[in-house]
Amino acid sequence: MSATFVDHYAVLGVPPAASPPAIREAYMRLAKLYHPDLFATQGDNADRAGRFVAITGSYAVLKNEKKRLRSEERRGGK
């Protein structure tokens, strides 16, 4: 079973050459928009929660240099 490729840069809306501070800034901005706790009173927020999980997962990969390099290899290089 092969894993589905996720373009972590696209999820966070940053270019592949983005610096760690730019990646963190994009993550923080998106986390504030999609965090499910902020929208708990608006009924079904499953889509928002799913998007938040993707954002958090992408940030976890891109903030870690080893994981980022592995992702770059799967993506096809820089």
Side-chain angles (χ1 to χ4, degrees):
M1 181 179 210
S2 65
T4 303
F5 174 75
V6 176
D7 186 349
H8 300 293
Y9 297 102
V11 171
L12 293 181
V14 296
S19 67
I23 291 169
R24 184 179 190 288
E25 182 179 321
Y27 166 72
M28 296 303 289
R29 179 179 46 79
L30 291 170
K32 287 177 185 176
L33 286 174
Y34 290 98
H35 197 286
D37 287 350
L38 299 175
F39 301 95
T41 61
Q42 294 183 4
D44 181 28
N45 61 357
D47 183 49
R48 188 173 292 277
R51 179 75 195 261
F52 181 74
V53 169
I55 290 164
T56 302
S58 290
Y59 180 62
V61 169
L62 296 181
K63 76 176 184 175
N64 181 300
E65 190 61 32
K66 287 182 182 180
K67 290 180 183 180
R68 186 174 179 177
L69 290 173
R70 226 175 308 144
S71 177
E72 282 289 335
E73 290 172 0
R74 295 165 97 190
R75 191 172 187 271
K78 291 184 179 182

